[in-house]
Amino acid sequence: MAIRDSILPELDHEMATTRKLLERVPEAQANWQPHPKSMTLGKLTIHLATLPHWATTTMKQTELDMHPPGGEPMKMPGFESTAATLALFDDAVRDARAAIAAAEDGDFMVPWALKNAGQEIFSMPRIAVLRSFVLNHLIHHRGQLSVYLRLHDVPIPAIYGPSADEAV
C-alpha cells in the first residue's frame, strides 16, 4: 500500500470531524478566552482552520522559516466570521489533500525542517511532520476548541464516539 493511501483516510476523517466543530463556533464570542494565557476563541478557530495548510507546505517545500532573516514573518489572518473561517479551512484541506494524493512514497521520506530566524527548530521526514505537526497538532487544538465550545453551552458533535450531546 502506498503511504498516501494510508494517510488520506485519516486526513479525511480528522478534517471532517474538525469541520463539525468549526461550524459551531459562536461568532459573538470570538474575543473570549478562558484564561489570560489562553488563545481567544477566534484565534484558536483560525489556528485550526489554517493548520491543514502546513500539510501543503510540508509536501511542496523542504523547510519553513517562521521569521526568515530579512523577510516578513508569517502572519495569521484574523477571525472575521464562522463562514469565512470555514472557507479558509475548506481551501486548506482541499490543497492539503491534493498535495498528499500527488506524492509518491519517496516524497514522504524527504527531510523537512522548521526554522525560526534561520535557526533550525527540528528536521524530520515529511511523513513524521504530517502525523505530528499537522494531524496530532490539529487534534490537540480541536480538543481545546471542544472545551471552549462546552464552556459556552454549544453542543459538541460526536468525535471518536458519542458525545453527551449527540449520538453516533
Side-chain angles (χ1 to χ4, degrees):
M1 172 186 290
I3 293 171
R4 69 176 170 254
D5 295 332
S6 72
I7 200 164
L8 285 171
E10 182 179 358
L11 179 86
D12 292 342
H13 174 79
E14 299 302 344
M15 297 307 126
T17 302
T18 300
R19 193 176 199 291
K20 286 183 208 175
L21 282 162
L22 291 173
E23 290 170 348
R24 298 172 186 219
V25 170
E27 292 178 10
Q29 300 300 322
N31 291 321
W32 179 85
Q33 60 192 119
H35 186 276
K37 292 182 180 179
S38 299
M39 283 189 261
T40 65
L41 176 58
K43 185 172 181 177
L44 177 59
T45 300
I46 289 296
H47 187 55
L48 271 166
T50 58
L51 268 169
H53 179 69
W54 277 50
T56 307
T57 300
T58 299
M59 296 310 297
K60 292 190 173 190
Q61 299 171 198
T62 56
E63 66 180 41
L64 172 64
D65 197 320
M66 307 280 285
H67 298 92
E72 291 290 317
M74 283 184 58
K75 293 181 182 168
M76 295 289 287
F79 180 86
E80 295 175 21
S81 68
T82 300
T85 301
L86 288 169
L88 184 67
F89 178 74
D90 290 343
D91 289 347
V93 170
R94 181 194 65 242
D95 294 347
R97 192 176 203 297
I100 293 168
E104 299 296 328
D105 281 359
D107 298 327
F108 290 100
M109 297 304 136
V110 171
W112 189 90
L114 179 64
K115 295 181 176 182
N116 187 30
Q119 298 285 62
E120 187 174 289
I121 298 169
F122 71 80
S123 177
M124 59 180 66
R126 285 177 170 151
I127 189 64
V129 174
L130 289 174
R131 294 246 187 238
S132 296
F133 291 92
V134 177
L135 290 172
N136 293 349
H137 189 171
L138 180 130
I139 292 164
H140 161 74
H141 287 301
R142 188 178 68 204
Q144 283 182 298
L145 180 59
S146 68
V147 172
Y148 279 36
L149 295 177
R150 173 66 73 213
L151 293 171
H152 286 283
D153 294 322
V154 174
I156 305 300
I159 296 177
Y160 293 118
S163 75
D165 302 308
E166 186 178 294
V168 176

